[in-house]
Amino acid sequence: MTDTGTSTPNVSAKPPTWKDSSQQILDSLSNLDRKVSSLTDGQAAIDQKITSVSNGQISIKKEIDSIRKLVSSTIDHVSTLDSEVRELREENGYLRQEVEDLQQYSRKGNIIIHNLEETPNPVEERRLVLEVLDHLKISPTAVDVYHRLGKFRKVDDNKPRPRPMLVRFISHSARYEAFRNRKSIQRPLFITEHVIKQRLDLLRALNEMRKSKQIKSCYTMNGRVFARVDDSDDAKPLLINNMDEIDQLKLLRPAPLEDIPGSVCD
């Protein structure tokens, strides 16, 4: 009988040849070369970024140095301007004081009579002024001119408040005598110097301090404003030139606790 079936011969795999091994090695080396090339490119990019950051830091440092120089220059300029402003303020204060002194000098020969009865009759007005001059032991011939100050004022509709009476003398000596004898007249009349508004404001501020017991008294002499802080014989009165000096005096002599509203509890 003839065998018609087929059978597969047992053929074992062939071992790789040296050519195959060489090709695999070449492929691996090629792949490794590509990776190395990629790493090299990445390193170059990193180096480029580092260089860019370094350049940016240098640029920022230069800007910071420039800003520092500008700030230093600005500080020096501001210091110069501050010094100039301080000098201008001192000069302005000096000039203001000179102007005030000149204005006050023009009033040196005047006195102000307060609470003198006011009448529309000029003859009666003259009689009232002459009565005051008689108490002051001043001759009518020593008077240059007299007149009321300000507009007519009213306390109410029935009782008008008399305006101050300005009296100007022909000489400073006559005015001096009149002011020296001012205590010879009786209340409600009283006499003051004719001071400019700035010094009248100083006097009013000091009077408030007197009421608060921060100072003992305040007054004017030859157009200057003075404050007396105590009654001792060796205490010299303080010459007050401006509001800043009053503010300093308030800090040195605060009001007593009992005179501060709301400071004492029952």
Side-chain angles (χ1 to χ4, degrees):
M1 289 179 64
T2 304
D3 188 2
T4 61
T6 60
S7 61
T8 302
N10 186 11
V11 181
S12 59
K14 295 180 180 182
T17 62
W18 65 270
K19 290 183 177 180
D20 295 334
S21 298
S22 298
Q23 185 61 44
Q24 289 179 355
I25 292 171
L26 290 174
D27 290 343
S28 297
L29 290 173
S30 178
N31 187 34
L32 182 61
D33 185 60
R34 285 195 297 272
K35 290 182 178 179
V36 169
S37 178
S38 176
L39 288 174
T40 302
D41 293 340
Q43 182 64 41
I46 291 173
D47 291 341
Q48 184 177 2
K49 290 182 178 179
I50 291 175
T51 302
S52 176
V53 171
S54 178
N55 292 336
Q57 289 178 338
I58 294 174
S59 176
I60 291 173
K61 185 177 181 302
K62 289 181 179 179
E63 289 183 7
I64 290 175
D65 291 340
S66 177
I67 291 173
R68 283 177 177 171
K69 291 179 180 179
L70 180 61
V71 169
S72 178
S73 175
T74 302
I75 291 175
D76 292 341
H77 184 59
V78 169
S79 178
T80 301
L81 289 178
D82 186 59
S83 177
E84 291 178 356
V85 168
R86 189 161 47 249
E87 291 177 0
L88 288 174
R89 283 178 177 172
E90 291 177 357
E91 183 179 356
N92 185 45
Y94 175 76
L95 292 175
R96 183 185 294 112
Q97 188 66 46
E98 279 196 336
V99 170
E100 288 184 7
D101 288 343
L102 289 173
Q103 291 176 337
Q104 187 60 53
Y105 185 80
S106 67
R107 306 183 181 196
K108 189 175 181 180
N110 305 346
I111 62 170
I112 304 294
I113 304 174
H114 300 267
N115 295 330
L116 182 64
E117 180 185 352
E118 185 169 359
T119 171
N121 187 335
V123 176
E124 183 64 17
E125 284 275 274
R126 177 177 172 79
R127 184 190 66 78
L128 293 171
V129 172
L130 292 179
E131 283 185 0
V132 175
L133 293 176
D134 184 60
H135 282 88
L136 297 175
K137 298 181 175 57
I138 298 296
S139 170
T141 58
V143 175
D144 181 21
V145 66
Y146 61 89
H147 60 82
R148 297 282 179 175
L149 292 176
K151 296 181 179 179
F152 185 77
R153 300 176 298 182
K154 290 185 178 181
V155 175
D156 53 50
D157 293 336
N158 299 321
K159 187 179 180 182
R161 180 180 177 183
R163 292 173 293 170
M165 174 70 77
L166 181 146
V167 179
R168 177 175 298 165
F169 297 91
I170 60 175
S171 68
H172 292 162
S173 60
R175 181 265 180 199
Y176 174 80
E177 286 297 321
F179 193 71
R180 189 180 66 171
N181 298 331
R182 66 189 182 279
K183 293 183 179 180
S184 62
I185 63 174
Q186 297 180 349
R187 293 284 183 175
L189 297 182
F190 66 96
I191 292 176
T192 64
E193 292 187 315
H194 186 201
V195 295
I196 59 177
K197 181 183 182 303
Q198 294 90 330
R199 296 182 183 180
L200 185 60
D201 291 340
L202 296 179
L203 196 62
R204 287 170 177 165
L206 288 172
N207 195 42
E208 291 299 319
M209 292 183 66
R210 181 190 62 80
K211 293 177 181 178
S212 300
K213 301 180 182 178
Q214 293 171 273
I215 60 174
K216 292 297 181 180
S217 61
C218 56
Y219 59 93
T220 63
M221 180 62 67
N222 294 326
R224 295 295 184 92
V225 180
F226 293 89
R228 189 177 292 277
V229 296
D230 57 56
D231 293 331
S232 59
D233 295 335
D234 56 346
K236 294 183 179 180
L238 301 177
L239 173 62
I240 305 298
N241 294 304
N242 49 59
M243 284 294 182
D244 290 339
E245 294 181 359
I246 291 182
D247 292 337
Q248 293 176 5
L249 187 59
K250 287 180 179 179
L251 293 176
L252 293 174
R253 302 186 64 83
L257 189 62
E258 63 270 15
D259 292 326
I260 301 176
S263 62
V264 179
C265 299
D266 295 331

